[in-house]
Amino acid sequence: MIEMLIVALVGGLLVSLLILVNRVIFPTILSYPWSTKNPLKCQQQTIVFAGSFNPPHNGHLAMIEYLSKTYQNVILVIGMNPNKTYKVSPQVRAEILENMIVSRKIDKSRVRVKVVSGYIWRYAMAQNAVAMIRGIRTWGKDGKDERALYILNTWGPIVFGPLKWPLETIYMEGDPKFVGVSSTAIRELCDLSRTLTNDELTVRLKGMVPREVQKDILQAYITNDDH
């Protein structure tokens, strides 16, 4: 009897291990157009969309708008390391993101922004989220870096606790019309503040971020000694 229990336990552990390994090797990727594919069966649930949002842009906003219409509760999480110094703090980025949501008239009863210190998967579990979302350009371009994070999110709960079945991470590929829009491109544009006026920078930001937050981004990402 004991031997049978041991065999069953070992078999269950092996099956669980294979499921988790398969999840990392073959992640769920939600390609555009997103509305034609919904990897989660239940829409009346909480999901966590984690990112640096440094800064947020129209590509992020398109994803958030879709998620807010698809799921009941969307939590936008910006991770924070209390031992790290940021040029633009997570709190400032969160404020810009909230202003973006207002500018697009996204239902704020379904979307909220949180700055989280510590493991984001642990926070997501505490919120009873059914999955975590990551925005990417394509898996071919971002998959290498994302896979390392996915391994942490998959094995973290098992190694560091709480000992729960790991949440799945769903990867959303961006809308192709925003292929040239990225947080890096916006930061690099702001670095041109020594050679361009704020008005010229504002013109170049058109199409990258909503007009309502352009000044907020310039104020946050241009250092005081740039002019």
Side-chain angles (χ1 to χ4, degrees), residues 57-176:
H57 51 69
N58 283 340
H60 294 135
L61 205 52
M63 293 179 180
I64 294 167
E65 190 167 20
Y66 165 76
L67 292 171
S68 71
K69 294 176 180 178
T70 307
Y71 302 106
Q72 184 67 33
N73 189 21
V74 180
I75 307 176
L76 308 176
V77 170
I78 300 175
M80 180 185 71
N81 183 343
N83 298 318
K84 183 177 178 179
T85 300
Y86 299 92
K87 180 178 179 180
V88 179
S89 72
Q91 289 78 10
V92 170
R93 283 178 265 147
E95 184 177 349
I96 293 172
L97 187 53
E98 287 175 340
N99 290 339
M100 279 188 173
I101 292 169
V102 171
S103 74
R104 190 59 65 89
K105 295 181 172 58
I106 294 173
D107 188 351
K108 288 211 66 177
S109 69
R110 301 168 72 100
V111 180
R112 54 194 168 104
V113 182
K114 293 289 291 185
V115 174
V116 174
S117 177
Y119 295 121
I120 293 176
W121 50 262
R122 185 173 286 167
Y123 171 81
M125 286 182 171
Q127 301 303 310
N128 295 317
V130 295
M132 292 193 293
I133 304 291
R134 292 281 296 176
I136 59 174
R137 292 171 296 178
T138 66
W139 185 253
K141 292 180 179 179
D142 299 328
K144 184 177 179 180
D145 293 334
E146 289 293 334
R147 196 183 298 280
L149 180 61
Y150 198 8
I151 291 173
L152 174 62
N153 289 338
T154 299
W155 296 105
I158 297 173
V159 176
F160 303 109
L163 187 56
K164 293 182 178 180
W165 186 253
L167 293 174
E168 182 178 11
T169 298
I170 298 170
Y171 294 93
M172 287 184 69
E173 292 186 334
D175 183 336

Side-chain angles (χ1 to χ4, degrees), residues 23 56 120 165 182 211:
R23 180 185 287 185
I120 293 176
W165 186 253
S182 69
R211 174 180 54 82

Side-chain angles (χ1 to χ4, degrees), residues 12-23:
L13 290 174
L14 287 175
V15 170
S16 298
L17 177 62
L18 288 173
I19 291 173
L20 293 177
V21 170
N22 184 73
R23 180 185 287 185

Side-chain angles (χ1 to χ4, degrees), residues 30-41:
L30 189 58
S31 56
Y32 191 84
W34 311 306
S35 59
T36 62
K37 304 170 184 177
N38 184 359
L40 297 179
K41 295 180 180 179

